[in-house]
Amino acid sequence: MTQAFDGIRVIDFTQVLSGPFLTLQLALLGAEVIKVEPPVGGDQMRDRMLPSPHASHGMASPFLALNHSKQSLALDLKDPRGRQVALDLIKGADVVVHNFRAGVIDRLDLGWEAVRAVNPKLVYCALTGYGSTGPKAAEAAYDGAVQAASGMMASNGHADTGPTRTGYFPVDLFTGACGAFAVAAALFRRERTGEGQYVDLSMLDSALAIQAPSVCQYTVDGMVPSLIGNSSATHLPTADCFPTADGLVLMSATMQHHAEAIFDEAGIGQLLSDPRFADTASRRANAADVRATIIEAFAADTAANWAARLGRRGVPIAKVNSIAEAVAEPQLAHRNILMEVPAPIGFQSPMRLTGAPFTTDADGPTASCAPPVLGQDGGEILRGLGLDDDTIGALRDSGVVAGPTC
């Protein structure tokens, strides 16, 4: 089997979510990813960010989710000896990814100009909150702050609650996905030109890109998106969230044939001859009546049954699932998005972790190894650079490196 990135070595200086998600996408397609972490504590996601019963031993579940299929080297980049180890790794690498704030990487003397001097064919991706240059370049950024800064929050929420952030991390994860594409494109360009490339990746830019339709409604039409709750940007009353006998469904019913199917399946098809409900314009003008009518009809059956019944008739509809219900969906098992990953050190059984959001007919994404404990692969990596055991021991004793194999 030859995966797309077989033979590609990635030196990964990233932490938290966006950068690790980026490098995970490369690892799933065969890249060798060496995750370089601080020797004390490691990646913040190991134990300091999101609650997990495994945080006490540095293997919190959010860390596991984004760092399987990688190796870990615990290395102090602030020590000149640690920087030299990093440079030696970079000399033999194809890709470097970091998500330090602008200016930090230069203080470590591992910025673009410094590293391309030793490896001119390198693809170098700098992932920051607001970009590597500009008035906000040095500011720290997390997903929630960028949701606020990008206008994303202002179109998410209900009028009576005000703007809200999402319960997951769309900016982080979409930025990582964009970065994986950008790195892949830079590698493809290198195949054609023989040249390395600097990729400047911004969370704020990515947040604008993922909102492209809403942004262009403003820049082109002069329309500012408003809070619409669970309804649709179409402002159609059939495109909304509705209670049923036992739960909620979300419909994105925007076409005339969708409305006809809903009314007919609910046993109220005769109401389509009512001038309030006859067509799209009349339903929009009488939105409160339409909503009340659908709610009354939907009380007669369960969310799962309404989703099945209307789904068969071509209506875009789904039961509002919990994460537990979503993970149990048979379609996900069929797609293998939750792949089995070997048990990490300290765990007894393999675990199901998210993989790539696509499949291929050959050489597709696979999990190559368990998420590593901090510094798990340090000895092997350092010996691969030609360091002998005495030198590695001295680095360990002085705190420059750490890990069970050093």
Side-chain angles (χ1 to χ4, degrees):
M1 183 170 72
T2 302
Q3 292 180 285
F5 298 123
D6 276 354
I8 296 295
R9 172 174 273 199
V10 179
I11 310 303
D12 176 9
F13 296 108
T14 70
Q15 294 193 46
V16 192
L17 296 175
S18 54
F21 187 72
L22 187 169
T23 56
L24 175 63
Q25 305 315 302
L26 305 177
L28 288 169
L29 289 173
E32 177 193 11
V33 177
I34 297 176
K35 183 178 180 68
V36 179
E37 305 181 65
V40 178
D43 187 328
Q44 296 173 46
M45 293 306 292
R46 285 187 177 274
D47 62 1
R48 282 155 285 167
M49 296 293 288
L50 301 181
S52 169
H54 305 296
S56 60
H57 51 278
M59 295 292 275
S61 56
F63 172 84
L64 301 176
L66 302 185
N67 291 285
H68 59 87
S69 306
K70 302 177 187 178
Q71 303 172 59
S72 173
L73 170 64
L75 182 69
D76 184 359
L77 296 174
K78 296 177 181 179
D79 189 292
R81 293 167 294 177
R83 176 188 176 273
Q84 187 57 54
V85 169
L87 276 177
D88 289 342
L89 282 171
I90 289 169
K91 288 176 185 177
D94 300 281
V95 178
V96 164
V97 186
H98 79 78
N99 62 349
F100 295 108
R101 279 184 296 168
V104 172
I105 197 74
D106 295 309
R107 290 197 293 274
L108 295 172
D109 203 18
L110 292 170
W112 168 236
E113 295 300 333
V115 300
R116 75 169 172 176
V118 301
N119 187 347
K121 292 189 175 183
L122 189 71
V123 171
Y124 185 99
C125 180
L127 193 170
T128 59
Y130 301 104
S132 295
T133 60
K136 291 175 72 73
E139 294 188 20
Y142 281 119
D143 187 287
V146 180
Q147 286 189 44
S150 67
M152 189 177 287
M153 279 181 62
S155 59
N156 188 48
H158 295 262
D160 56 347
T161 63
T164 62
R165 61 164 296 168
T166 64
Y168 61 104
F169 305 94
V171 176
D172 274 328
L173 282 271
F174 186 69
T175 301
C178 290
F181 171 75
V183 168
L187 288 169
F188 185 70
R189 175 182 177 273
R190 189 181 71 174
E191 287 297 303
R192 292 180 162 184
T193 66
E195 300 172 351
Q197 192 171 40
Y198 178 79
V199 176
D200 187 346
L201 177 65
S202 157
M203 292 171 65
L204 181 63
D205 295 352
S206 300
L208 267 287
I210 202 174
Q211 297 179 90
S214 299
V215 170
C216 292
Q217 272 193 302
Y218 171 69
T219 60
V220 176
D221 302 331
M223 296 171 57
V224 178
S226 60
L227 297 175
I228 58 174
N230 289 318
S231 66
S232 162
T234 64
H235 299 287
L236 290 170
T238 50
D240 207 335
C241 195
F242 296 92
T244 70
D246 71 343
L248 299 171
V249 292
L250 191 288
M251 294 195 297
S252 298
T254 58
M255 308 294 287
Q256 177 68 17
H257 68 275
H258 293 156
E260 292 171 357
I262 293 165
F263 277 63
D264 182 62
E265 189 67 33
I268 53 175
Q270 73 280 1
L271 291 180
L272 288 171
S273 60
D274 186 319
R276 295 173 299 163
F277 305 144
D279 56 32
T280 296
S282 60
R283 288 191 295 275
R284 185 181 278 124
N286 295 278
D289 290 343
V290 174
R291 179 168 177 79
T293 300
I294 294 176
I295 288 174
E296 182 180 0
F298 277 16
D301 207 348
T302 65
N305 284 345
W306 281 119
R309 289 167 61 181
L310 290 172
R312 286 193 294 267
R313 300 193 62 164
V315 177
I317 183 173
K319 177 180 178 292
V320 178
N321 283 333
S322 67
I323 285 287
E325 290 170 323
V327 166
E329 281 279 355
Q331 181 67 16
L332 289 181
H334 175 76
R335 298 286 296 174
N336 197 35
I337 177 64
L338 287 167
M339 56 178 56
E340 184 172 288
V341 176
I345 293 174
F347 290 76
Q348 300 303 312
S349 303
M351 53 186 59
R352 288 195 302 162
L353 300 175
T354 50
F358 61 89
T359 65
T360 61
D361 64 345
D363 302 334
T366 58
S368 60
C369 61
V373 301
L374 179 60
Q376 177 177 314
D377 308 285
E380 178 184 352
I381 293 167
L382 295 172
R383 292 181 186 95
L385 293 175
L387 277 65
D388 59 30
D389 288 346
D390 289 342
T391 303
I392 295 172
L395 292 173
R396 179 196 62 227
D397 294 343
S398 59
V400 177
V401 300
T405 64
C406 289

